[in-house]
Amino acid sequence: MSEEQRQKESEVVQEFKLEQDNELRFEVESKEKVTLELKSGLAEVFGTEVVKGKVYSFGGGSKIAVFTWQGCLLELRGKTEAAYVARETPMIIYLNTHAGLEQIRKKADTDESKRGPIAMIVGPTDVGKSTVCKLLLNYAVRMGRRPIYVDLDVGQGQLSIPGTVGAMAIERPADVEEGFSQVCPLIYHYGYKEPGSNVMLYNLLVTKLAQTVAERMEANRQNAVSGVIINTCGWVKGQGYQMLIHAAKAFEVDLIIVLDQERLYNELVRDLPETVKVVFQPKSGGVVERSRQARIEARDQRIREYFYGSAGQFYPHSFEVRFSDVKIFKIGAPALPDSLMPLGMKAEDQLTKLVTVQPNQQLLHHLISISMAESGEDDIIQTNVTGFICVNNVDLERQMLTVLSPQPRPLPRTRLLLSDIQYMDSH
Ligand SMILES: Nc1ncnc2c1ncn2[C@@H]1O[C@H](COP(=O)(O)OP(=O)(O)OP(=O)(O)O)[C@@H](O)[C@H]1O
């Protein structure tokens, strides 16, 4: 018997029969792998249809729900941390939300003066915001729509690596194992994992992103009719709340779905004009709370996937870059008291100021965004980025950086933006 066969024999196999409107929830133990197969009936994972007979594979730490509207038989192989069938889910509520959005799209279909819905999903951490976004986007594309996904979550975003905000037109349902295919997302560099680290910059980027999305809707009628789904951060108190209000205004949202928190719902109803519809919806009982450590690991995993692929299928490059061949900037200078500011400038302006960085050992392990800006005069802060590198070594004597890059040398552009976020490349 081969090693592979032996492994297969000793595998834990579990079968689940689901009635209609049931959901199988499972978590994969860290460092383990679990496969899923639909044996009969129909099922979906966060809005993407599961293909019968196809074997899907999920890595350690995955938290998955397989829902069925009609009933089905499922098989799991491998070590699950928890696996159970839930009968109570809010899926019908989410489906109704989709139907409501589709009504607005239908009106825009026949009336050139109208556009599709702009919906924002808000709520505290771990209420399933990203999952509801995915669901609504998947249902929309399955109906032939081309919605725009905007991700404002700088900590646990789905479109790019942590420390960025971005948007992408969704062309096909998310892959069950890999999520949305990241072809040409429009990404802006923020540089921190917390939205509160530089509120001025965050709001500036949200405004810029909103403008760009509006332009895209102007230029592409199919996107305009399909509308926008916006994912947000879980920071909903104090300044975090003000940032949500800012985003709602910048994107001119029509609908806000508040998951799980009634207080937030009441505040939004109170503070936003009546033209913005605010609805309260429950979170799914399946959403798993993540510890601080789990969040750190998820962020690291996201960055690793950027360079190495979700299954280690990418081979990034490591090469040297001469200090003199690039210009590195960071955004935000140390705050000075108003009395020391040059005439006409406010202390706040410092926060969105571009500062040149002389390469030194402090760059070690930091992520760096490659700006699309071509020259020094371009507004680098409000220009999108084309990719990311990580600094693996700084040689002051030879004036060289060694960088990890998804693409071979040379770097596609020379204007670089330093991120506060670090990544230890342990490959
Ligand atoms: N019904 C469900 N059953 C099992 N797991 C689920 C379910 N819904 C969501 N999850 C899982 O729960 C985790 C948290 O969900 P999600 O990322 O959508 O929450 P969030 O509110 O966006 O979190 P954050 O505030 O960190 O952005 C994810 O790993 C997701 O796969």
Side-chain angles (χ1 to χ4, degrees):
M1 204 190 295
S2 75
E3 184 56 30
E4 205 175 307
Q5 276 171 324
R6 220 184 327 251
Q7 252 178 5
K8 236 181 163 169
E9 294 270 298
S10 63
E11 235 168 26
V12 190
V13 183
Q14 304 173 73
E15 229 178 40
F16 298 89
K17 189 170 176 1
L18 273 66
E19 303 294 326
Q20 61 181 41
D21 297 344
N22 282 186
E23 178 171 282
L24 168 67
R25 295 170 182 163
F26 64 92
E27 285 180 53
V28 184
E29 271 189 24
S30 71
K31 301 200 174 68
E32 292 291 334
K33 194 183 94 177
V34 168
T35 62
L36 162 77
E37 189 183 335
L38 173 66
K39 294 285 192 184
S40 65
L42 295 167
E44 55 184 49
V45 171
F46 305 134
T48 302
E49 276 175 298
V50 177
V51 177
K52 194 158 77 187
K54 184 170 170 185
V55 178
Y56 297 91
S57 181
F58 300 95
S62 303
K63 300 165 186 30
I64 306 295
V66 193
F67 183 84
T68 178
W69 295 104
Q70 295 86 356
C72 69
L73 186 67
L74 299 167
E75 183 187 88
L76 292 184
R77 280 174 186 268
K79 267 196 199 152
T80 50
E81 209 164 272
Y84 66 98
V85 175
R87 284 168 226 292
E88 298 288 325
T89 78
M91 285 294 281
I92 189 73
I93 301 174
Y94 301 154
L95 183 69
N96 283 335
T97 308
H98 161 71
L101 297 177
E102 201 47 37
Q103 287 299 322
I104 306 174
R105 294 182 187 121
K106 284 212 176 97
K107 282 198 189 119
D109 267 337
T110 51
D111 184 345
E112 279 277 331
S113 70
K114 291 201 162 62
R115 58 156 168 78
I118 300 188
M120 185 161 105
I121 324 298
V122 304
T125 47
D126 296 329
V127 290
K129 296 181 296 298
S130 313
T131 305
V132 171
C133 286
K134 205 188 234 183
L135 206 61
L136 295 175
L137 290 162
N138 277 336
Y139 285 163
V141 259
R142 280 169 64 183
M143 309 272 305
R145 304 295 185 186
R146 295 289 176 267
I148 297 176
Y149 182 28
V150 170
D151 201 340
L152 304 180
D153 189 351
V154 290
Q156 310 275 332
Q158 293 180 315
L159 285 186
S160 185
I161 64 167
T164 60
V165 291
M168 185 169 78
I170 303 292
E171 309 272 333
R172 60 182 74 91
D175 183 275
V176 169
E177 293 156 325
E178 312 247 331
F180 289 114
S181 98
Q182 284 156 22
V183 186
C184 297
L186 178 79
I187 304 295
Y188 292 98
H189 168 98
Y190 171 64
Y192 304 92
K193 55 187 188 307
E194 314 273 354
S197 299
N198 190 338
V199 176
M200 280 276 291
L201 175 62
Y202 184 87
N203 284 342
L204 183 80
L205 295 175
V206 168
T207 305
K208 174 69 190 176
L209 197 53
Q211 277 167 3
T212 317
V213 168
E215 281 163 22
R216 166 80 184 221
M217 287 170 83
E218 277 291 312
N220 183 317
R221 186 65 196 152
Q222 203 183 11
N223 291 146
V225 168
S226 305
V228 184
I229 304 283
I230 307 168
N231 188 22
T232 56
C233 298
W235 187 33
V236 296
K237 282 191 193 151
Q239 221 166 18
Y241 175 73
Q242 293 308 330
M243 288 154 88
L244 284 181
I245 297 274
H246 172 263
K249 289 186 176 157
F251 280 92
E252 298 178 8
V253 302
D254 312 294
L255 171 72
I256 300 186
I257 298 167
V258 185
L259 290 179
D260 196 49
Q261 205 185 79
E262 256 174 282
R263 202 199 63 205
L264 178 62
Y265 164 77
N266 285 316
E267 285 173 343
L268 289 167
V269 171
R270 181 193 68 200
D271 295 340
L272 287 170
E274 268 174 35
T275 47
V276 181
K277 192 170 171 194
V278 185
V279 297
F280 175 82
Q281 294 188 351
K283 73 167 183 179
S284 164
V287 182
V288 188
E289 246 179 65
R290 286 170 293 180
S291 62
R292 214 179 96 79
Q293 188 55 33
R295 284 175 177 277
I296 293 170
E297 276 167 25
R299 266 199 294 273
D300 242 36
Q301 163 104 358
R302 198 94 192 95
I303 301 169
R304 194 175 322 119
E305 277 177 14
Y306 173 77
F307 289 109
Y308 292 95
S310 56
Q313 72 274 38
F314 300 162
Y315 295 92
H317 302 258
S318 175
F319 54 85
E320 288 191 315
V321 176
R322 236 188 306 249
F323 289 179
S324 57
D325 284 346
V326 289
K327 253 183 157 345
I328 308 175
F329 302 96
K330 73 182 177 97
I331 307 170
L336 291 172
D338 273 334
S339 55
L340 290 181
M341 294 294 292
L343 206 62
M345 264 180 94
K346 294 191 290 305
E348 305 191 318
D349 296 338
Q350 292 287 97
L351 294 169
T352 52
K353 202 176 151 192
L354 207 57
V355 183
T356 304
V357 175
Q358 296 307 334
N360 59 33
Q361 289 298 343
Q362 284 178 5
L363 295 188
L364 205 56
H365 306 308
H366 275 269
L367 290 170
I368 288 184
S369 308
I370 305 172
S371 174
M372 284 296 281
E374 304 236 28
S375 71
E377 289 88 63
D378 285 354
D379 182 355
I380 294 174
I381 297 176
Q382 296 195 58
T383 301
N384 57 314
V385 299
T386 169
F388 309 92
I389 51 176
C390 179
V391 179
N392 276 350
N393 190 40
V394 183
D395 186 337
L396 286 175
E397 223 160 85
R398 293 174 53 243
Q399 302 268 298
M400 290 278 198
L401 297 174
T402 308
V403 301
L404 181 71
S405 159
Q407 282 184 1
R409 78 177 93 200
L411 294 176
R413 292 280 198 281
T414 57
R415 300 293 191 269
L416 309 179
L417 285 164
L418 178 63
S419 173
D420 196 46
I421 300 171
Q422 289 180 301
Y423 170 67
M424 297 285 175
D425 182 27
S426 53
H427 272 73

